[in-house]
Amino acid sequence: MGAALVAALVVGLALPAGLEAARIQFAFSEGTTTVVCILVSLAAAAIAFFLYRRIQDFLPRGFGIGLGIFRYLVLLAIAVLLLEPRFETRQKQSAPPVIAVLHDDTESMVIHRDSAYVQNEYPAQLKSFLDRLDGGDATTNFFAFGQDLDPDVAADSLSFRRSGTNISEALDGSARVFANQNLGAVVLITDGITTAGVNPLYSLDQFQLPVFTVLVGDTTEQKDVRVADVLFNEIAYLENETPVKVKVKSRGYDAEQLRVTISGEGKVLGSQTVAITAAEPDVDVDFLVKPERTGIVQYTISVAPLPEEISTRNNTKNIFINVLETKVKIALFGGFPHPDVGALRNAMDRDDRYEMTEFLHETGATFYNDPSAANLKDFDLFILHNFPFNQSDVPLLDRIKAEVEERKVPLMTFVGKYTQINLLQRSLGDYLGIVPGTVVNNVEEAQINFKPDYKNHSTFTFDESWIQLMNSAPPLYRNQSSWKGSGDTKILATARIKGIALDYPVYGLQNKLGRKNMVFVGENFWRTRAHVYVEREDFSAFDQWIYNNIQWLIVKEDKRKFKVRPSKRLFTGQEPVLFRGEAYDDSYNPLPGVDVKLTLTDPNQKENVYYLNETGNARYFLELNNLGEGTYEYAAEGTKNGVTIGTDRGQFSIGRSNIETFRLTADKDLLEQVALRTGGSFATAREMDRVADDILQLNSLKPVVSYQTRRLGFTEFPWIFFVLLALLGLEWILRKRFSLS
């Protein structure tokens, strides 16, 4: 096996340290390898002997023998390398065990009777606990958590200011972080009060290791009064009373009088005194408020503090109501009562801004609600369903047409089995995005087939499965006239008949000279709404579609060249406030290079100036963090090369989250269950050293040993060939030195 020995010597300097084993492998079987190596060795020896057998007399004593051996070894190494051996190494690797310490960093950790201990004595005790864990063979990783897991907070930097305790996410997050590591134990330090996420017990199935729990907090009932909830309409109307119901809960008091107050716009709007007892600790208080201005209005509900309350943070709650000037009034004209009308009505009930008045035929020319007595100028949207129904509707059609022409009132038209298409075409044909060619009064069953490119339209705000859901709905009645899109109508759905997708238009949207309309050629779409409920146990997928279409129809197109707005009107807790800006030239092409200045006025009337950053395609962006609670006003100005492009202004509100003050009694039972189910142990904060002892005594807290096998070809060590070439060159120089051929 001399050849294998030589190969090992040749690459010895290139081998990694810490090898458990190493061996040379050839492409032959073991027996064949032995024979080949012997033959190679003999061949190399024969060549070396032949070269140096007659030149001993020309060299110093022993030098010729040395050169012969040298030539033999070099030839042997070259021959071995030509056989393309593989060098296999087996290296031992050891992964030390890891202990993950998950520490609750939310506000509730310091809102209890024992909060002085947590803030003063506990930090030193926590440091001692971590030092003991670090003293073993394991590596300790510390994480703080609130809504999610944070690895960038040290144990001595806990602030206890986070909002939202998501213990399940903390456990899930640690499982993800250490998925491919030697995680030996998890330590969960918290008060057990979960205010976000799911029940932590659901997250334990993924752990095949003990979870040790440490309780920080007070398990006794705290004396406290809080505004538990406020029920109100998020949208109200100017000078109209809107109800506000306040739910107040108390704990730890036998009999007290509570003073509940609602205030807004700098003044007290109402105040009531209610009694609480040990038997009835919870009360409801009702108020009526009448907004006096439009926009977002903040109202503050507060309960006067009682003696010995553990916290007064939860005695106050702010609500924000979007006050509109008027409701959106919708007139629905129908040939007769129909389930489709009920589906439309239910879809609009999601938003109090919409007020729908129905004008449905009763018999012949009479209506249940006579439209002749209505002033059509009061309405912002007209919906036609199976309308016009007969010749008697022509005068009403003329009135509708007049409003569409004069005020550009949007139309939402549902063509049904009994729609008089000739009358509709004659009166409103110029204002419909889908019109008939040859009129046929027959209907056929057809399924709606939404196009994939509908996802690019602003009315599409759904998940990827929405189109498949709607396209699998039961068939509708489709009028068989030769319908086609007119002008720049966007045909967003066609008909599928007997499973074959055709190009017959069913649903389209058009914005023609500022007049918007929607046409839907189909009756019995209430079945689609029922289908959605069967599939998802919720009507929202259908209702949201109707709602989005109405929104698109009634919203006036914003052709301003400069716009700046926050991502939403109401922000809560620690959310960042995001501003987005757009700028356009006179041709309404995106305008880059605009300096966008934002002046923000806080609730104390202090002004701060910011500048939006350009993010590409003439879009501008700004993120503001850590803004205080209250209503803010902003004014934006865009300039380019010293010339003002435009201005914009608005307001938004921020409400501080006090979710961490809703429950203040530590949940000992939860932490005991977590420890019991996983084979860990439970202790209170003052006994946490005992948890350290239990962890360090775990038999499973050992390094994981693995072996890595590598197979390397000798071609991966190119320096070997240069070494052999250098050795042959050295031999050549010596031979020339002694005048050998």
Side-chain angles (χ1 to χ4, degrees):
M1 298 303 293
L5 176 62
V6 170
L9 291 173
V10 169
V11 297
L13 294 176
L15 299 182
L19 287 181
E20 182 75 12
R23 65 192 181 109
I24 300 291
Q25 282 189 329
F26 292 88
F28 317 111
S29 64
E30 186 174 349
T32 304
T33 298
T34 302
V35 173
V36 170
C37 288
I38 292 174
L39 292 176
V40 167
S41 298
L42 292 174
I47 294 172
F49 175 75
F50 177 78
L51 290 175
Y52 286 95
R53 73 184 189 283
R54 295 179 179 177
I55 59 176
Q56 299 298 323
D57 297 337
F58 301 96
L59 299 173
R61 183 177 177 83
F63 196 72
I65 297 174
L67 277 178
I69 295 174
F70 177 82
R71 171 61 71 92
Y72 162 72
L73 293 175
V74 171
L75 291 174
L76 181 59
I78 293 174
V80 168
L81 294 179
L82 290 175
L83 294 175
E84 297 185 359
R86 308 291 293 178
F87 192 81
E88 181 180 284
T89 64
R90 186 165 179 261
Q91 190 172 15
K92 180 179 179 181
Q93 295 179 328
S94 178
V98 176
I99 301 172
V101 179
L102 317 179
H103 202 295
D104 192 339
D105 192 29
T106 57
E107 292 177 283
S108 64
M109 293 283 283
V110 290
I111 307 178
H112 50 80
R113 292 192 186 95
D114 214 13
S115 60
Y117 158 73
V118 176
Q119 293 173 315
N120 300 321
E121 302 172 42
Y122 175 72
Q125 190 172 351
L126 176 61
K127 182 179 184 304
S128 174
F129 172 77
L130 296 174
D131 289 343
R132 291 195 62 188
L133 294 181
D134 284 333
D137 296 330
T139 300
T140 303
N141 287 35
F142 185 86
F143 300 84
F145 72 88
Q147 289 275 15
D148 47 29
L149 207 58
D150 188 350
D152 299 323
V153 177
D156 57 359
S157 302
L158 295 169
S159 63
F160 302 115
R161 298 190 59 176
R162 299 175 190 244
S163 179
T165 306
N166 194 338
I167 298 177
S168 61
E169 174 57 27
L171 293 170
D172 293 342
S174 65
R176 290 193 298 269
V177 170
F178 298 104
N180 298 315
Q181 300 185 42
N182 182 19
L183 182 61
V186 174
V187 182
L188 177 64
I189 305 176
T190 177
D191 55 15
I193 303 173
T194 299
T195 57
V198 300
N199 190 324
L201 298 177
Y202 298 152
S203 299
L204 299 181
D205 292 341
Q206 61 190 312
F207 287 99
Q208 303 299 320
L209 51 87
V211 178
F212 297 84
T213 55
V214 177
L215 178 70
V216 179
D218 196 334
T219 58
T220 60
E221 188 174 68
Q222 315 286 320
K223 279 193 171 184
D224 186 53
V225 175
R226 63 184 175 92
V227 179
D229 198 7
V230 181
L231 305 179
F232 64 99
N233 296 321
E234 293 184 358
I235 295 175
Y237 299 93
L238 187 65
E239 299 296 338
N240 288 337
E241 288 187 335
T242 184
V244 177
K245 179 183 285 291
V246 182
K247 293 182 174 294
V248 181
K249 293 189 175 183
S250 66
R251 294 294 180 268
Y253 291 98
D254 292 330
E256 294 287 347
Q257 296 290 315
L258 295 180
R259 187 71 175 169
V260 185
T261 303
I262 185 170
S263 57
E265 298 296 296
K267 58 186 178 182
V268 175
L269 303 176
S271 184
Q272 296 184 38
T273 299
V274 293
I276 58 171
T277 64
E280 296 184 359
D282 304 335
V283 293
D284 292 346
V285 183
D286 294 311
F287 293 102
L288 286 174
V289 296
K290 182 186 289 187
E292 298 178 353
R293 68 173 180 86
T294 58
I296 297 176
V297 179
Q298 174 180 320
Y299 295 94
T300 301
I301 294 93
S302 59
V303 180
L306 292 180
E308 300 180 6
E309 267 198 83
I310 191 66
S311 172
T312 58
R313 271 276 315 280
N314 52 12
N315 288 41
T316 302
K317 188 176 182 67
N318 292 323
I319 62 172
F320 300 89
I321 297 178
N322 190 6
V323 181
L324 306 177
E325 189 167 354
T326 66
K327 289 191 174 186
V328 175
K329 294 186 177 181
I330 300 171
L332 185 147
F333 303 94
F336 48 89
H338 194 285
D340 285 353
V341 175
L344 290 171
R345 186 188 310 114
N346 290 329
M348 292 182 209
D349 283 345
R350 62 184 292 126
D351 195 332
D352 287 341
R353 285 187 305 164
Y354 296 151
E355 181 181 283
M356 188 169 77
T357 303
E358 299 171 12
F359 302 102
L360 304 178
H361 271 283
E362 183 177 7
T363 56
T366 62
F367 288 80
Y368 289 99
N369 183 18
D370 188 3
S372 63
N375 186 357
L376 297 190
K377 294 187 181 297
D378 293 338
F379 296 101
D380 306 294
L381 171 68
F382 296 141
I383 299 178
L384 312 181
H385 183 275
N386 269 317
F387 189 88
F389 184 61
N390 54 39
Q391 190 69 34
S392 67
D393 290 329
V394 172
L396 181 54
L397 274 176
D398 292 340
R399 292 174 59 197
I400 293 173
K401 178 181 178 180
E403 296 300 322
V404 172
E405 287 182 339
E406 180 182 348
R407 295 193 295 119
K408 298 183 178 181
V409 178
L411 283 170
M412 194 175 200
T413 304
F414 294 92
V415 178
K417 185 176 182 180
Y418 298 99
T419 300
Q420 295 299 306
I421 298 174
N422 285 322
L423 297 180
L424 178 67
Q425 171 74 354
R426 193 179 310 133
S427 179
L428 295 173
D430 291 340
Y431 309 110
L432 298 178
I434 299 178
V435 294
T438 303
V439 176
V440 177
N441 291 323
N442 296 328
V443 294
E444 61 187 346
E445 286 195 338
Q447 287 181 287
I448 189 169
N449 183 50
F450 282 95
K451 296 182 176 182
D453 58 2
Y454 180 36
K455 297 177 183 178
N456 300 322
H457 197 272
S458 61
T459 58
F460 188 92
T461 59
F462 312 103
D463 57 37
E464 292 294 322
S465 63
W466 185 88
I467 288 182
Q468 181 180 355
L469 171 70
M470 301 297 280
N471 287 353
S472 62
L476 313 168
Y477 284 142
R478 174 193 170 274
N479 179 273
Q480 290 183 313
S481 301
S482 55
W483 297 92
K484 61 183 179 179
S486 65
D488 56 352
T489 301
K490 297 184 184 299
I491 303 299
L492 303 173
T494 57
R496 188 169 67 252
I497 300 175
K498 296 182 179 179
I500 301 174
L502 304 172
D503 61 355
Y504 301 161
V506 169
Y507 162 60
L509 297 170
Q510 183 190 50
N511 185 359
K512 182 180 179 181
L513 301 176
R515 293 182 177 89
K516 293 183 179 181
N517 71 85
M518 183 200 102
V519 177
F520 188 91
V521 184
E523 182 182 328
N524 284 350
F525 53 82
W526 66 268
R527 294 177 178 174
T528 304
R529 188 171 189 265
H531 167 75
V532 166
Y533 185 84
V534 169
E535 293 295 323
R536 296 191 175 181
E537 297 185 356
D538 189 279
F539 292 113
S540 59
F542 177 87
D543 291 352
Q544 184 69 44
W545 176 65
I546 293 293
Y547 178 84
N548 289 353
N549 278 274
I550 293 175
Q551 283 285 91
W552 182 83
L553 289 167
I554 65 175
V555 171
K556 302 299 182 183
E557 192 169 5
D558 189 353
K559 282 292 186 180
R560 291 178 299 156
K561 294 191 295 181
F562 180 75
K563 311 170 192 175
V564 174
R565 60 178 65 87
S567 58
K568 56 184 181 178
R569 293 288 189 90
L570 302 177
F571 297 88
T572 58
Q574 301 171 347
E575 281 185 289
V577 177
L578 306 178
F579 280 93
R580 293 183 174 87
E582 303 172 31
Y584 302 92
D585 60 18
D586 291 337
S587 299
Y588 213 68
N589 296 313
L591 186 63
V594 176
D595 295 323
V596 182
K597 175 183 176 183
L598 183 79
T599 302
L600 189 66
T601 305
D602 68 17
N604 298 320
Q605 301 306 306
K606 179 183 177 181
E607 292 186 353
N608 292 286
V609 176
Y610 305 91
Y611 287 88
L612 276 66
N613 301 309
E614 187 170 359
T615 59
N617 196 27
R619 296 294 189 269
Y620 302 85
F621 177 82
L622 176 66
E623 178 177 328
L624 299 177
N625 293 282
N626 301 318
L627 295 180
E629 185 178 8
T631 299
Y632 292 76
E633 296 181 352
Y634 68 89
E637 180 182 14
T639 59
K640 184 172 183 178
N641 300 326
V643 178
T644 299
I645 302 300
T647 61
D648 201 356
R649 62 178 55 250
Q651 62 182 22
F652 63 92
S653 293
I654 299 176
R656 184 181 179 187
S657 173
N658 61 353
I659 192 172
E660 288 297 310
T661 64
F662 282 5
R663 291 171 51 205
L664 300 174
T665 302
D667 195 341
K668 177 182 177 182
D669 291 341
L670 173 65
L671 298 189
E672 286 180 331
Q673 287 188 60
V674 170
L676 179 64
R677 292 192 182 190
T678 60
S681 62
F682 164 83
T684 62
R686 288 182 170 83
E687 304 170 329
M688 63 193 311
D689 285 344
R690 177 167 57 80
V691 171
D693 292 337
D694 293 342
I695 293 173
L696 295 175
Q697 292 173 8
L698 285 174
N699 293 327
S700 59
L701 210 65
K702 295 178 180 179
V704 171
V705 177
S706 60
Y707 294 91
Q708 182 180 22
T709 300
R710 297 181 63 194
R711 292 181 176 85
L712 302 173
F714 281 80
T715 56
E716 297 182 45
F717 306 101
W719 59 268
I720 294 176
F721 297 97
F722 293 105
V723 170
L724 292 175
L725 184 62
L727 292 175
L728 290 173
L730 177 61
E731 182 195 14
W732 181 82
I733 293 172
L734 291 174
R735 291 176 64 88
K736 289 297 182 182
R737 172 70 178 79
F738 293 101
S739 301
L740 299 175
S741 59

